[in-house]
């Protein structure tokens, strides 16, 4: 995988939902000690997106992108309609396998989502995260996201600081 060509594509193929949920489960358990409820949370949100695509016959509910190396899904990000305020989008499902880091894939996935938000003429983009995901937070901050909310929470089997970040477009 060290020199394999990488690609970014729409995450609409059979198996993408499971691959993205599994990446979250494995990576977040290994790197942050989270339990299987993290994987279930991601799978549930992705399932809702897939079912909306099927029900509506469009991608209006949101989009998902995956990064591949040698045909293997190694990363993802998504953008959905924001449920909290009209005209806003939510950045979701940001994950990158450690073996794929350092290739610019994280930034490429992020930019695909931000380009989609601009194409949708979104007012802004928000995301929910937890403190301690330094590489992701640096990416968000470099794009202009600002921290708007922070509070202790017990989620996914760990004590964490849940955070909301926003970017007005």
């Amino acid at each position: 995988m060290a020199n394999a060509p990488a690609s970014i594509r729409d995450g609409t193929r059979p198996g993408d939902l499971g691959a993205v949920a599994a990446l979250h489960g494995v990576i977040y358990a290994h790197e942050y000690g989270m339990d299987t409820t993290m994987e279930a949370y991601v799978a549930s949100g992705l399932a809702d997106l897939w079912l909306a695509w099927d029900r509506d016959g469009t991608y209006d509910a949101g989009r998902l992108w995956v990064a591949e190396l040698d045909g293997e899904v190694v990363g993802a990000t998504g953008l959905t309609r924001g449920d909290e305020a009209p005209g806003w989008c939510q950045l979701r499902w940001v994950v990158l396998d450690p073996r794929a880091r350092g290739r610019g894939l994280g930034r490429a996935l992020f930019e695909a989502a931000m380009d989609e938000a601009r194409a949708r003429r979104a007012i802004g983009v928000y995301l929910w995260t937890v403190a301690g995901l330094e590489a992701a937070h640096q990416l968000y901050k470099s794009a202009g996201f600002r921290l708007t909310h922070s509070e202790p929470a017990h989620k996914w089997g760990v004590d964490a600081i849940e955070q909301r970040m926003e970017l007005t477009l």
Side-chain angles (χ1 to χ4, degrees), residues 6-61:
S7 63
I8 305 290
R9 64 169 176 79
D10 281 329
T12 56
R13 294 182 187 163
D16 286 345
L17 183 157
V20 172
L23 269 177
H24 278 81
V26 170
I27 292 168
Y28 281 80
H30 177 72
E31 294 185 359
Y32 304 105
M34 294 180 183
D35 66 19
T36 56
T37 59
M38 162 52 86
E39 186 173 352
Y41 171 78
V42 170
S44 174
L46 288 168
D48 288 344
L49 180 62
W50 253 258
L51 293 171
W53 291 343
D54 182 60
R55 179 189 64 242
D56 302 341
T58 70
Y59 293 115
D60 289 349

Side-chain angles (χ1 to χ4, degrees), residues 52-87:
W53 291 343
D54 182 60
R55 179 189 64 242
D56 302 341
T58 70
Y59 293 115
D60 289 349
R63 302 273 306 275
L64 177 73
W65 297 268
V66 297
E68 282 188 325
L69 286 175
D70 285 337
E72 179 184 355
V73 174
V74 294
T77 196
L79 186 82
T80 62
R81 282 187 298 236
D83 292 335
E84 299 175 20

Side-chain angles (χ1 to χ4, degrees), residues 106-119:
R107 181 160 298 278
L109 287 163
F110 175 78
E111 289 301 330
M114 296 308 295
D115 288 348
E116 179 71 13
R118 288 183 203 89

Side-chain angles (χ1 to χ4, degrees), residues 91-107:
L91 184 69
R92 302 186 70 182
W93 311 305
V94 177
V95 68
L96 192 61
D97 188 305
R99 299 170 298 156
R101 294 176 186 162
R103 297 169 170 263
L105 290 171
R107 181 160 298 278

Side-chain angles (χ1 to χ4, degrees), residues 80-89 120-126 164:
T80 62
R81 282 187 298 236
D83 292 335
E84 299 175 20
W88 282 75
C89 292
R120 289 174 180 245
R121 298 180 184 210
I123 295 167
V125 177
Y126 69 91
R164 179 184 167 116

